[in-house]
Amino acid sequence: NAGVTQTPKFRILKIGQSMTLQCTQDMNHNYMYWYRQDPGMGLKLIYYSVGAGITDKGEVPNGYNVSRSTTEDFPLRLELAAPSQTSVYFCASSHTVEGRDQPQHFGDGTRLSIL
Amino acid sequence: KNQVEQSPQSLIILEGKNCTLQCNYTVSPFSNLRWYKQDTGRGPVSLTIMTFSENTKSNGRYTATLDADTKQSSLHITASQLSDSASYICVVSAGDNNDMRFGAGTRLTVKP
């Protein structure tokens, strides 16, 4: 019963390095999301996808890129890591039948530090 | 300015006691309000989802209320257990699932 799986769980990057945060879900959900959670703040939406081949920017997309080639996978790419991107990143998915009232299922996060 | 404000920021209670967490929002238009529980080091887990027409919803010892007129919600926890120690996050949707506003959460600690 995997749900939403994120890898890696922890990572330390140097400024300017790049990396990809992986996210996969096995619930056949059409919606997927990437959030970041900073201390004392609510989660902020980075990017989301309503289905394979479709992605859209959220509230804080700068410095990130995403792709959605399959229903299951939604990787998040950091091209030039900056200290401001130090955060905990959460991937989530949801099923939309009527469109709005479905709960989101979250992964356990990737804790990323940029030094 | 965050459109979802939660109070208190943190709370400590004794095991077996009840508590109530508050959520005030200014998000408009309103679609639904959700409460999530987030254990330390884990992702949030959905507790309840309420739409405009619902003013109370329960999930075991958790009961959420919604007053859409005053734009306030509360989460009441009955007979607290040590496992209730977590952050509780209020989320208000302004429309579709991609337009959700998250509160900063209330950190609850239940002590024996």
Side-chain angles (χ1 to χ4, degrees):
Chain A
N1 196 12
V4 178
T5 302
Q6 292 184 237
T7 58
K9 295 188 185 303
F10 305 93
R11 185 73 184 268
I12 298 174
L13 283 182
K14 293 182 179 178
I15 295 172
Q17 285 185 320
S18 62
M19 78 163 293
T20 299
L21 282 66
Q22 302 291 345
C23 175
T24 187
Q25 53 95 4
D26 61 0
M27 297 171 283
N28 200 33
H29 287 168
N30 49 345
Y31 274 63
M32 294 188 76
Y33 318 78
W34 274 106
Y35 294 92
R36 59 178 289 171
Q37 186 176 38
D38 299 310
M41 307 284 287
L43 275 74
K44 301 287 187 186
L45 182 64
I46 304 171
Y47 271 96
Y48 68 98
S49 168
V50 301
I54 306 170
T55 62
D56 278 294
K57 295 179 180 179
E59 185 179 358
V60 290
N62 291 345
Y64 307 94
N65 279 299
V66 293
S67 60
R68 184 95 182 271
S69 57
T70 66
T71 299
E72 296 78 19
D73 300 307
F74 190 42
L76 177 72
R77 178 85 177 160
L78 282 71
E79 290 294 350
L80 289 171
S84 62
Q85 293 178 305
T86 293
S87 188
V88 182
Y89 291 85
F90 287 99
C91 178
S93 70
S94 66
H95 186 50
T96 53
V97 177
E98 298 302 320
R100 295 181 179 181
D101 299 337
Q102 302 299 313
Q104 289 180 309
H105 298 260
F106 285 83
D108 283 337
T110 293
R111 284 144 189 84
L112 181 63
S113 294
I114 316 295
L115 304 176
Chain B
K1 186 180 188 303
N2 196 4
Q3 298 181 36
V4 179
E5 299 289 343
Q6 292 187 243
S7 62
Q9 196 170 27
S10 61
L11 180 63
I12 300 173
I13 62 173
L14 293 176
E15 187 178 12
K17 298 296 186 182
N18 304 335
C19 67
T20 299
L21 314 180
Q22 301 291 342
C23 175
N24 296 341
Y25 63 92
T26 58
V27 177
S28 182
F30 174 86
S31 178
N32 60 62
L33 186 145
R34 306 159 185 236
W35 282 95
Y36 284 87
K37 178 187 179 188
Q38 185 177 21
D39 292 317
T40 301
R42 305 298 298 274
V45 175
S46 179
L47 293 175
T48 63
I49 301 175
M50 289 185 291
T51 59
F52 184 88
S53 59
E54 297 173 297
N55 56 23
T56 186
K57 184 167 276 190
S58 292
N59 178 357
R61 294 180 295 102
Y62 301 101
T63 299
T65 65
L66 172 65
D67 185 335
D69 291 331
T70 62
K71 298 188 176 182
Q72 295 179 324
S73 176
S74 66
L75 180 69
H76 186 74
I77 303 174
T78 303
S80 61
Q81 300 176 358
L82 298 179
S83 59
D84 292 331
S85 293
S87 288
Y88 291 85
I89 301 172
C90 174
V91 186
V92 181
S93 175
D96 295 325
N97 275 0
N98 52 292
D99 194 10
M100 287 186 285
R101 315 298 169 85
F102 287 74
T106 291
R107 177 71 203 176
L108 174 67
T109 302
V110 179
K111 293 196 168 183

XYZ file of all heavy atoms in Angstrom, chain A residues 5-101:
769
model
N 5.201 8.073 -3.054
C 6.564 7.793 -2.620
C 7.499 8.868 -3.141
O 7.510 9.164 -4.341
C 7.029 6.426 -3.142
O 6.140 5.413 -2.666
C 8.437 6.116 -2.655
N 8.270 9.455 -2.229
C 9.235 10.491 -2.599
C 10.650 10.017 -2.308
O 10.915 9.409 -1.282
C 8.996 11.775 -1.794
C 7.720 12.489 -2.133
C 7.587 13.798 -1.367
O 6.625 14.017 -0.646
N 8.558 14.695 -1.550
N 11.553 10.307 -3.237
C 12.976 10.039 -3.025
C 13.798 11.193 -3.568
O 13.402 11.839 -4.540
C 13.408 8.741 -3.735
O 13.119 8.853 -5.124
C 12.740 7.529 -3.138
N 14.952 11.533 -2.923
C 15.420 10.947 -1.676
C 14.686 11.551 -0.483
O 13.907 12.484 -0.639
C 16.896 11.346 -1.664
C 16.902 12.687 -2.342
C 15.856 12.594 -3.433
N 14.920 11.052 0.713
C 14.327 11.630 1.914
C 15.122 12.841 2.392
O 14.555 13.779 2.967
C 14.258 10.589 3.031
C 13.331 9.429 2.735
C 13.159 8.537 3.955
C 12.335 7.296 3.637
N 11.014 7.637 3.085
N 16.404 12.825 2.196
C 17.287 13.920 2.614
C 18.322 14.168 1.524
O 18.745 13.231 0.844
C 18.054 13.599 3.913
C 17.197 13.209 5.064
C 16.914 11.875 5.307
C 16.658 14.161 5.911
C 16.121 11.498 6.385
C 15.871 13.796 6.987
C 15.604 12.459 7.223
N 18.731 15.440 1.393
C 19.781 15.741 0.444
C 20.408 17.072 0.815
O 19.716 18.010 1.223
C 19.223 15.802 -0.975
C 20.249 15.999 -2.051
C 21.093 14.750 -2.307
N 22.134 15.003 -3.288
C 22.001 14.793 -4.594
N 20.866 14.333 -5.078
N 22.995 15.068 -5.400
N 21.738 17.120 0.690
C 22.460 18.370 0.847
C 23.106 18.706 -0.486
O 23.802 17.868 -1.070
C 23.533 18.270 1.955
C 22.868 17.982 3.306
C 24.340 19.566 2.034
C 23.855 17.724 4.425
N 22.865 19.914 -0.962
C 23.420 20.369 -2.230
C 24.303 21.589 -2.015
O 24.094 22.349 -1.060
C 22.298 20.783 -3.196
C 21.489 19.725 -3.921
C 20.480 20.402 -4.851
C 22.378 18.785 -4.717
N 25.233 21.764 -2.918
C 26.011 23.005 -2.922
C 25.316 24.010 -3.840
O 24.608 23.626 -4.784
C 27.425 22.735 -3.418
C 28.245 21.868 -2.472
C 29.660 21.686 -2.996
C 30.490 20.844 -2.029
N 31.872 20.606 -2.518
N 25.526 25.276 -3.561
C 24.954 26.337 -4.406
C 25.365 26.108 -5.858
O 26.527 25.837 -6.160
C 25.428 27.721 -3.928
C 24.880 27.996 -2.524
C 24.988 28.812 -4.896
C 25.456 29.251 -1.883
N 24.385 26.191 -6.757
C 24.655 26.035 -8.180
C 24.501 24.624 -8.704
O 24.441 24.422 -9.925
N 24.445 23.639 -7.810
C 24.235 22.270 -8.266
C 22.783 22.069 -8.690
O 21.905 22.874 -8.375
C 24.585 21.273 -7.147
C 26.062 21.095 -6.905
C 26.374 20.016 -5.891
O 25.687 19.883 -4.872
N 27.412 19.229 -6.161
N 22.561 20.981 -9.401
C 21.193 20.666 -9.818
C 20.821 19.280 -9.301
O 21.696 18.473 -8.972
C 21.077 20.705 -11.340
O 21.919 19.724 -11.916
N 19.536 19.044 -9.201
C 19.064 17.725 -8.789
C 17.598 17.567 -9.148
O 16.902 18.561 -9.430
C 19.250 17.486 -7.294
C 18.234 18.161 -6.403
S 18.205 17.471 -4.729
C 17.569 15.817 -5.005
N 17.146 16.335 -9.121
C 15.746 16.016 -9.384
C 15.163 15.303 -8.178
O 15.731 14.320 -7.701
C 15.596 15.123 -10.627
O 16.107 15.827 -11.762
C 14.133 14.783 -10.857
N 14.050 15.825 -7.675
C 13.298 15.165 -6.620
C 12.262 14.269 -7.298
O 11.486 14.713 -8.144
C 12.596 16.190 -5.731
C 13.436 16.934 -4.691
C 14.467 17.838 -5.354
C 12.544 17.759 -3.782
N 12.269 13.004 -6.897
C 11.374 12.048 -7.533
C 10.076 11.895 -6.741
O 10.065 11.955 -5.518
C 12.055 10.681 -7.659
C 13.350 10.688 -8.452
C 13.129 10.957 -9.933
O 12.015 10.883 -10.448
N 14.213 11.301 -10.624
N 8.985 11.693 -7.468
C 7.682 11.442 -6.857
C 6.916 10.463 -7.727
O 6.806 10.676 -8.945
C 6.897 12.731 -6.706
S 5.211 12.465 -6.086
N 6.398 9.424 -7.121
C 5.581 8.473 -7.853
C 4.382 8.065 -6.998
O 4.491 7.969 -5.783
C 6.403 7.241 -8.269
O 5.615 6.408 -9.119
C 6.867 6.443 -7.065
N 3.246 7.848 -7.649
C 2.043 7.407 -6.929
C 1.431 6.213 -7.655
O 1.480 6.127 -8.885
C 1.035 8.565 -6.773
C 0.672 9.273 -8.063
C -0.581 8.788 -8.739
O -1.302 7.912 -8.225
N -0.867 9.346 -9.905
N 0.840 5.317 -6.848
C 0.295 4.078 -7.415
C -1.217 4.013 -7.274
O -1.803 2.925 -7.255
C 0.961 2.865 -6.769
C 0.720 2.787 -5.265
O 0.041 3.679 -4.710
O 1.216 1.830 -4.632
N -1.867 5.182 -7.155
C -3.322 5.218 -6.947
C -4.070 5.622 -8.208
O -5.284 5.839 -8.174
C -3.631 6.191 -5.799
C -3.040 5.740 -4.472
S -3.161 6.983 -3.161
C -1.845 8.098 -3.629
N -3.343 5.782 -9.313
C -3.937 6.182 -10.588
C -4.631 7.544 -10.492
O -5.646 7.786 -11.160
C -4.915 5.120 -11.102
C -5.157 5.258 -12.592
O -4.270 5.658 -13.344
N -6.367 4.943 -13.023
N -4.069 8.434 -9.636
C -4.625 9.782 -9.506
C -4.230 10.624 -10.702
O -3.091 10.554 -11.188
C -4.125 10.441 -8.222
C -4.750 9.879 -6.993
N -4.272 10.165 -5.720
C -5.826 9.084 -6.818
C -5.028 9.551 -4.837
N -5.967 8.884 -5.471
N -5.148 11.459 -11.155
C -4.815 12.312 -12.281
C -4.118 13.605 -11.843
O -3.249 14.115 -12.521
C -6.049 12.620 -13.134
C -7.246 13.078 -12.317
O -7.292 12.932 -11.107
N -8.229 13.645 -12.994
N -4.461 14.137 -10.672
C -3.828 15.357 -10.200
C -2.587 15.039 -9.366
O -2.615 14.155 -8.508
C -4.784 16.159 -9.312
C -5.716 17.098 -10.055
C -6.659 16.619 -10.946
C -5.651 18.469 -9.842
C -7.504 17.484 -11.619
C -6.502 19.342 -10.501
C -7.430 18.838 -11.384
O -8.270 19.703 -12.043
N -1.517 15.792 -9.617
C -0.323 15.711 -8.781
C 0.209 17.111 -8.518
O -0.007 18.029 -9.325
C 0.760 14.832 -9.421
C 0.348 13.367 -9.523
S 1.669 12.263 -10.055
C 2.661 12.150 -8.543
N 0.889 17.275 -7.373
C 1.300 18.601 -6.904
C 2.686 18.526 -6.273
O 3.048 17.512 -5.685
C 0.342 19.128 -5.815
C -1.117 18.889 -6.053
C -1.685 17.639 -5.811
C -1.949 19.921 -6.491
C -3.042 17.424 -6.003
C -3.306 19.704 -6.680
C -3.843 18.450 -6.438
O -5.179 18.235 -6.624
N 3.383 19.658 -6.334
C 4.602 19.836 -5.552
C 4.429 21.067 -4.676
O 4.050 22.145 -5.154
C 5.825 20.029 -6.443
C 6.457 18.757 -6.875
C 6.403 18.177 -8.099
C 7.276 17.900 -6.071
N 7.117 17.008 -8.111
C 7.669 16.815 -6.874
C 7.716 17.945 -4.736
C 8.478 15.782 -6.417
C 8.519 16.921 -4.267
C 8.896 15.853 -5.103
N 4.733 20.880 -3.377
C 4.690 21.969 -2.413
C 6.049 22.083 -1.727
O 6.788 21.116 -1.633
C 3.658 21.696 -1.313
C 2.216 21.670 -1.746
C 1.605 20.478 -2.125
C 1.456 22.834 -1.743
C 0.268 20.450 -2.503
C 0.118 22.813 -2.122
C -0.460 21.618 -2.493
O -1.789 21.597 -2.857
N 6.302 23.284 -1.177
C 7.404 23.430 -0.264
C 6.864 23.923 1.076
O 5.878 24.672 1.123
C 8.465 24.379 -0.802
C 8.030 25.770 -1.113
C 9.205 26.635 -1.600
N 10.142 26.945 -0.507
C 11.325 27.519 -0.683
N 11.725 27.842 -1.919
N 12.108 27.775 0.336
N 7.491 23.464 2.151
C 7.065 23.840 3.499
C 8.247 24.431 4.233
O 9.222 23.738 4.514
C 6.525 22.613 4.256
C 5.925 22.956 5.611
C 5.319 21.740 6.300
O 5.852 20.634 6.234
N 4.182 21.925 6.970
N 8.147 25.708 4.553
C 9.188 26.413 5.286
C 8.742 26.586 6.736
O 7.538 26.655 7.017
C 9.465 27.763 4.638
C 9.955 27.605 3.207
O 10.885 26.807 2.995
O 9.405 28.254 2.300
N 9.687 26.672 7.660
C 9.336 26.764 9.098
C 8.377 27.914 9.376
O 8.593 29.044 8.936
C 10.704 26.993 9.758
C 11.685 26.386 8.814
C 11.138 26.643 7.445
N 7.301 27.611 10.107
C 6.347 28.643 10.503
C 5.439 29.131 9.392
O 4.681 30.093 9.593
N 5.506 28.494 8.231
C 4.697 28.934 7.084
C 3.806 27.798 6.614
O 4.107 26.618 6.829
C 5.610 29.358 5.930
C 6.666 30.372 6.308
S 5.994 32.010 6.500
C 5.693 32.437 4.784
N 2.727 28.168 5.943
C 1.898 27.153 5.305
C 2.556 26.626 4.044
O 3.445 27.255 3.482
N 2.121 25.476 3.604
C 2.652 24.911 2.360
C 2.365 25.844 1.190
O 1.296 26.449 1.102
C 2.017 23.545 2.071
C 2.655 22.329 2.725
C 2.333 22.278 4.209
C 2.176 21.054 2.038
N 3.344 25.949 0.305
C 3.204 26.784 -0.886
C 3.277 25.887 -2.121
O 4.162 25.045 -2.236
C 4.327 27.827 -0.964
C 4.385 28.777 0.223
C 3.263 29.774 0.201
C 3.463 30.815 1.305
N 2.298 31.735 1.394
N 2.353 26.099 -3.059
C 2.289 25.286 -4.267
C 3.345 25.750 -5.262
O 3.400 26.933 -5.616
C 0.898 25.378 -4.883
C 0.646 24.552 -6.138
C 0.762 23.062 -5.832
C -0.734 24.863 -6.723
N 4.175 24.811 -5.739
C 5.227 25.136 -6.702
C 4.711 24.896 -8.123
O 4.716 25.797 -8.964
C 6.481 24.283 -6.449
C 6.973 24.447 -5.012
C 7.587 24.660 -7.428
C 8.084 23.473 -4.638
N 4.299 23.670 -8.404
C 3.740 23.275 -9.689
C 2.673 22.225 -9.439
O 2.674 21.543 -8.414
C 4.830 22.658 -10.587
C 5.587 23.619 -11.456
C 6.814 24.134 -11.038
C 5.108 23.988 -12.704
C 7.542 25.011 -11.841
C 5.812 24.863 -13.521
C 7.030 25.370 -13.084
O 7.747 26.230 -13.891
N 1.783 22.086 -10.404
C 0.815 21.012 -10.342
C 0.555 20.472 -11.747
O 0.945 21.097 -12.735
C -0.483 21.469 -9.674
C -1.291 22.473 -10.470
C -2.374 22.064 -11.249
C -0.976 23.831 -10.434
C -3.115 22.984 -11.968
C -1.714 24.747 -11.152
C -2.781 24.327 -11.913
O -3.518 25.243 -12.642
N -0.094 19.317 -11.783
C -0.392 18.681 -13.067
C -1.778 18.041 -12.974
O -2.087 17.362 -11.994
C 0.653 17.615 -13.376
O 0.240 16.804 -14.460
N -2.575 18.244 -13.989
C -3.925 17.668 -13.996
C -3.974 16.367 -14.783
O -5.030 15.725 -14.857
C -4.957 18.666 -14.556
C -4.957 19.939 -13.725
C -4.703 18.971 -16.011
N -2.836 15.969 -15.348
C -2.780 14.713 -16.083
C -1.478 14.622 -16.860
O -0.746 15.611 -16.977
N -1.201 13.444 -17.386
C 0.037 13.238 -18.141
C 0.129 14.234 -19.292
O -0.837 14.450 -20.023
C 0.103 11.808 -18.655
N 1.300 14.871 -19.402
C 1.553 15.830 -20.462
C 1.117 17.240 -20.174
O 1.345 18.150 -20.986
N 0.510 17.478 -19.004
C -0.010 18.810 -18.662
C 0.569 19.263 -17.320
O 0.434 18.551 -16.321
C -1.541 18.798 -18.549
C -2.170 18.234 -19.826
C -2.065 20.205 -18.267
C -3.650 17.973 -19.705
N 1.220 20.418 -17.313
C 1.723 20.982 -16.060
C 1.408 22.472 -16.022
O 1.294 23.121 -17.075
C 3.246 20.785 -15.904
O 3.923 21.476 -16.958
C 3.620 19.308 -15.926
N 1.283 23.002 -14.805
C 1.000 24.426 -14.635
C 1.731 24.959 -13.420
O 1.994 24.217 -12.457
C -0.501 24.676 -14.452
C -1.232 24.702 -15.769
O -0.977 25.633 -16.552
O -2.041 23.789 -16.007
N 2.043 26.263 -13.470
C 2.735 26.901 -12.355
C 1.780 27.133 -11.193
O 0.599 27.413 -11.377
C 3.308 28.248 -12.810
C 4.393 28.124 -13.855
C 4.896 29.500 -14.288
C 5.988 29.365 -15.351
N 6.479 30.689 -15.808
N 2.362 27.022 -9.992
C 1.638 27.363 -8.786
C 2.047 28.730 -8.294
O 2.370 29.619 -9.092
N 2.083 28.893 -6.998
C 2.356 30.197 -6.393
C 3.836 30.570 -6.428
O 4.186 31.741 -6.581
C 1.870 30.174 -4.938
C 1.961 31.484 -4.195
C 1.444 31.360 -2.769
O 0.980 30.261 -2.377
O 1.527 32.362 -2.026
N 4.739 29.569 -6.316
C 6.186 29.850 -6.213
C 6.990 28.986 -7.177
O 7.822 28.174 -6.765
C 6.669 29.666 -4.752
C 6.134 30.756 -3.858
C 6.278 28.289 -4.209
N 6.835 29.133 -8.494
C 7.484 28.235 -9.447
C 8.930 28.588 -9.805
O 9.644 27.750 -10.375
C 6.601 28.384 -10.682
C 6.133 29.820 -10.617
C 5.948 30.103 -9.149
N 9.374 29.811 -9.494
C 10.689 30.259 -9.954
C 11.813 29.390 -9.403
O 11.907 29.150 -8.207
C 10.915 31.720 -9.572
C 10.011 32.653 -10.351
O 9.420 32.267 -11.356
N 9.881 33.882 -9.873
N 12.701 28.943 -10.294
C 13.831 28.118 -9.900
C 13.566 26.631 -10.000
O 14.454 25.824 -9.693
N 12.352 26.276 -10.428
C 11.961 24.868 -10.506
C 11.388 24.545 -11.884
O 10.881 25.424 -12.579
C 10.897 24.536 -9.457
C 11.235 24.917 -8.050
C 10.814 26.139 -7.516
C 11.967 24.075 -7.228
C 11.115 26.506 -6.224
C 12.275 24.432 -5.921
C 11.841 25.652 -5.429
O 12.141 26.002 -4.132
N 11.466 23.265 -12.238
C 10.795 22.775 -13.435
C 10.206 21.402 -13.149
O 10.704 20.678 -12.288
C 11.774 22.670 -14.614
C 11.989 23.996 -15.282
O 11.047 24.598 -15.802
N 13.209 24.481 -15.261
N 9.161 21.056 -13.877
C 8.532 19.749 -13.701
C 8.221 19.152 -15.066
O 8.249 19.836 -16.095
C 7.216 19.825 -12.895
C 7.480 20.230 -11.447
C 6.237 20.774 -13.563
N 7.928 17.871 -15.048
C 7.445 17.175 -16.232
C 6.468 16.107 -15.772
O 6.515 15.656 -14.626
C 8.609 16.550 -17.014
O 9.310 15.623 -16.205
N 5.579 15.696 -16.646
C 4.617 14.634 -16.322
C 4.419 13.781 -17.567
O 3.481 13.945 -18.322
C 3.282 15.257 -15.875
C 2.255 14.226 -15.418
C 2.261 14.027 -13.949
N 1.307 13.015 -13.505
C 0.032 13.257 -13.176
N -0.459 14.484 -13.294
N -0.725 12.275 -12.746
N 5.338 12.844 -17.743
C 5.274 11.983 -18.920
C 4.367 10.776 -18.700
O 3.878 10.183 -19.673
C 6.677 11.518 -19.322
O 7.297 10.846 -18.238
N 4.138 10.411 -17.442
C 3.250 9.294 -17.119
C 2.279 9.724 -16.028
O 2.518 10.720 -15.333
C 4.020 8.066 -16.620
O 4.628 8.380 -15.358
C 5.108 7.641 -17.604
N 1.206 8.969 -15.826
C 0.276 9.259 -14.740
C 0.944 9.113 -13.377
O 0.656 9.847 -12.447
C -0.936 8.306 -14.819
O -1.605 8.509 -16.047
C -1.911 8.546 -13.672
N 1.879 8.147 -13.273
C 2.446 7.810 -11.967
C 3.521 8.774 -11.478
O 3.694 8.953 -10.283
C 3.057 6.403 -12.029
C 2.069 5.279 -12.287
C 1.656 5.186 -13.743
O 2.368 5.722 -14.629
O 0.595 4.581 -14.013
N 4.308 9.355 -12.392
C 5.516 10.072 -11.990
C 5.419 11.576 -12.225
O 4.926 12.027 -13.266
C 6.723 9.513 -12.749
C 6.938 8.053 -12.472
O 7.015 7.685 -11.287
O 7.012 7.271 -13.444
N 5.967 12.321 -11.269
C 5.934 13.799 -11.364
C 7.213 14.345 -10.730
O 7.214 14.831 -9.610
C 4.688 14.320 -10.648
C 4.396 15.781 -10.875
C 4.532 16.360 -12.121
C 3.921 16.575 -9.831
C 4.235 17.693 -12.341
C 3.621 17.912 -10.032
C 3.776 18.471 -11.283
N 8.336 14.287 -11.441
C 9.611 14.745 -10.875
C 9.717 16.263 -10.846
O 9.199 16.959 -11.728
C 10.652 14.129 -11.821
C 9.920 13.948 -13.111
C 8.496 13.658 -12.762
N 10.420 16.779 -9.844
C 10.677 18.211 -9.680
C 12.166 18.454 -9.858
O 12.979 17.832 -9.191
C 10.233 18.677 -8.287
C 10.497 20.139 -7.939
C 9.547 21.049 -8.730
C 10.314 20.377 -6.436
N 12.513 19.375 -10.743
C 13.902 19.638 -11.079
C 14.335 21.001 -10.547
O 13.644 22.005 -10.754
C 14.057 19.609 -12.601
C 15.445 19.905 -13.111
C 16.290 18.668 -13.123
N 17.622 18.944 -13.686
C 18.683 18.175 -13.480
N 18.571 17.089 -12.729
N 19.840 18.478 -14.008
N 15.484 21.021 -9.842
C 16.142 22.265 -9.462
C 17.383 22.393 -10.335
O 18.250 21.524 -10.304
C 16.573 22.260 -7.992
C 15.528 22.509 -6.912
C 14.578 21.326 -6.790
C 16.220 22.779 -5.586
N 17.471 23.439 -11.125
C 18.575 23.565 -12.072
C 19.805 24.208 -11.455
O 20.921 23.746 -11.647
C 18.131 24.382 -13.291
C 17.132 23.661 -14.170
C 17.715 22.426 -14.858
O 18.951 22.221 -14.819
O 16.936 21.654 -15.455
N 19.645 25.296 -10.732
C 20.758 26.010 -10.111
C 20.376 26.269 -8.657
O 19.740 27.259 -8.339
C 21.010 27.346 -10.831
C 21.611 27.257 -12.238
C 21.593 28.628 -12.907
C 23.053 26.736 -12.167
N 20.748 25.341 -7.787
C 20.303 25.421 -6.402
C 20.770 26.708 -5.724
O 21.943 27.124 -5.867
C 20.803 24.210 -5.626
N 19.856 27.318 -4.976
C 20.142 28.540 -4.221
C 19.741 28.327 -2.758
O 18.843 27.522 -2.476
C 19.353 29.712 -4.804
N 20.398 29.030 -1.824
C 20.070 28.849 -0.403
C 18.584 29.039 -0.109
O 18.055 28.393 0.802
C 20.935 29.916 0.286
C 22.104 30.092 -0.630
C 21.541 29.959 -2.017
N 17.907 29.895 -0.863
C 16.476 30.136 -0.633
C 15.612 28.907 -0.933
O 14.436 28.876 -0.566
C 15.996 31.304 -1.496
O 16.156 30.999 -2.864
N 16.207 27.922 -1.580
C 15.461 26.709 -1.884
C 15.615 25.631 -0.797
O 15.070 24.535 -0.939
C 15.890 26.153 -3.242
C 15.497 27.066 -4.396
C 15.959 26.557 -5.731
O 17.158 26.286 -5.928
N 15.042 26.427 -6.676
N 16.329 25.973 0.254
C 16.377 25.088 1.415
C 14.981 25.000 2.001
O 14.391 26.018 2.384
C 17.360 25.636 2.471
O 18.682 25.575 1.947
C 17.272 24.827 3.756
N 14.434 23.776 2.057
C 13.046 23.608 2.479
C 12.735 22.119 2.569
O 13.585 21.270 2.292
C 12.115 24.277 1.462
O 10.781 24.298 1.926
N 11.518 21.831 2.971
C 11.005 20.474 2.885
C 10.001 20.448 1.736
O 9.075 21.272 1.692
C 10.325 20.026 4.186
C 9.846 18.583 4.051
C 11.277 20.159 5.369
N 10.189 19.532 0.824
C 9.366 19.461 -0.373
C 8.408 18.268 -0.264
O 8.823 17.148 0.029
C 10.251 19.312 -1.610
C 11.040 20.561 -1.890
C 12.268 20.787 -1.256
C 10.553 21.530 -2.764
C 12.985 21.951 -1.494
C 11.262 22.689 -3.005
C 12.472 22.899 -2.370
O 13.179 24.053 -2.606
N 7.134 18.555 -0.506
C 6.122 17.513 -0.458
C 5.458 17.355 -1.815
O 5.083 18.334 -2.457
C 5.046 17.834 0.583
C 5.499 17.661 1.991
C 5.913 18.751 2.744
C 5.531 16.400 2.577
C 6.341 18.588 4.048
C 5.957 16.229 3.879
C 6.366 17.327 4.614
N 5.318 16.111 -2.212
C 4.555 15.761 -3.394
C 3.203 15.224 -2.933
O 3.110 14.560 -1.886
C 5.307 14.704 -4.193
S 4.461 14.119 -5.672
N 2.153 15.515 -3.672
C 0.825 15.036 -3.323
C 0.078 14.640 -4.586
O 0.437 15.062 -5.696
C 0.044 16.109 -2.555
N -0.946 13.839 -4.410
C -1.791 13.471 -5.539
C -3.240 13.428 -5.083
O -3.531 13.300 -3.881
C -1.384 12.112 -6.114
O -1.716 11.058 -5.226
N -4.142 13.568 -6.032
C -5.562 13.446 -5.710
C -6.314 12.985 -6.938
O -5.872 13.183 -8.070
C -6.144 14.764 -5.178
O -6.134 15.755 -6.189
N -7.458 12.380 -6.680
C -8.338 11.939 -7.733
C -9.434 12.975 -7.886
O -9.927 13.481 -6.889
C -8.936 10.591 -7.361
C -9.752 9.975 -8.450
N -9.307 9.840 -9.741
C -10.995 9.454 -8.431
C -10.248 9.268 -10.467
N -11.277 9.026 -9.701
N -9.778 13.317 -9.079
C -10.854 14.285 -9.247
C -11.995 13.642 -10.003
O -11.851 13.252 -11.157
C -10.383 15.522 -10.015
O -9.772 15.103 -11.235
C -9.391 16.313 -9.208
N -13.098 13.511 -9.287
C -14.304 13.012 -9.921
C -15.181 14.214 -10.231
O -15.391 14.583 -11.371
C -15.029 12.013 -9.011
C -16.315 11.556 -9.661
C -14.127 10.839 -8.693
N -15.691 14.859 -9.180
C -16.442 16.082 -9.369
C -15.515 17.291 -9.449
O -15.934 18.363 -9.804
C -17.435 16.261 -8.218
C -18.467 15.150 -8.119
C -19.268 15.010 -9.399
O -19.616 16.044 -9.991
O -19.538 13.872 -9.814
N -14.276 17.123 -9.044
C -13.273 18.160 -9.258
C -12.726 18.821 -8.022
O -11.627 19.337 -8.042
N -13.435 18.775 -6.920
C -12.998 19.647 -5.841
C -12.836 18.970 -4.481
O -11.986 19.351 -3.718
C -13.991 20.805 -5.685
C -14.016 21.686 -6.892
C -14.976 22.825 -6.730
N -14.952 23.677 -7.899
C -15.692 24.774 -8.039
N -16.496 25.140 -7.077
N -15.611 25.489 -9.131
N -13.672 18.032 -4.163
C -13.728 17.618 -2.764
C -13.001 16.320 -2.478
O -13.374 15.588 -1.591
C -15.197 17.489 -2.335
C -15.930 18.804 -2.460
O -15.261 19.850 -2.446
O -17.156 18.786 -2.584
